Amino acid sequence: MGGADWLGRFRRVADLGLMVRRVPFCAVDSVLSSAFGNDRDIIREEVEKGFAQCWEIGQAAVITRREDSELVVVCMAGKGAVRAGEVIVQAAKKSGCKTIRFHTERPALGRLLAPLGAELREYVFQIRV
């Protein structure tokens, strides 16, 4: 299932007890401010154009987008991020995704997501000009 509501039918994941709801960018802006890096305006534009979606999963805020059979977690922050990650994995499987890609500047995310099967796939370098 592609498009904007890939996670929309998972409003409540019973075995995890978390509420899932799609929200506007303004609802997650402050929670995700530390996760945006320098990309806040780019991410906001992707959400406004419908390329990415904002979610509250329990007490975590998440922005996602779908690229073919891959779910991209653009940014995630808040309490219970690991449990939110479990919801994302379940929803991605049920939606036919083959992989999930997380973007982060925080190496600790790898340790937190390791129980979900996360593996480091690449480093990203940036040169400011």
Side-chain angles (χ1 to χ4, degrees), residues 16-81:
L16 297 174
L18 295 177
M19 294 300 296
V20 177
R21 63 187 191 125
R22 190 166 170 197
V23 296
F25 184 83
C26 62
V28 298
D29 192 10
S30 63
V31 176
L32 292 173
S33 63
S34 65
F36 289 139
N38 295 323
D39 295 330
R40 180 190 176 276
D41 292 336
I42 294 167
I43 294 169
R44 181 180 41 106
E45 185 176 332
E46 284 187 352
V47 170
E48 289 172 354
K49 290 183 176 180
F51 299 128
Q53 301 77 42
C54 301
W55 305 94
E56 287 179 348
I57 303 175
Q59 294 180 316
V62 184
I63 297 180
T64 62
R65 71 173 179 264
R66 182 91 182 251
E67 294 179 4
D68 298 320
S69 66
E70 183 168 63
L71 174 67
V72 179
V73 177
V74 177
C75 51
M76 180 169 65
K79 293 181 181 179

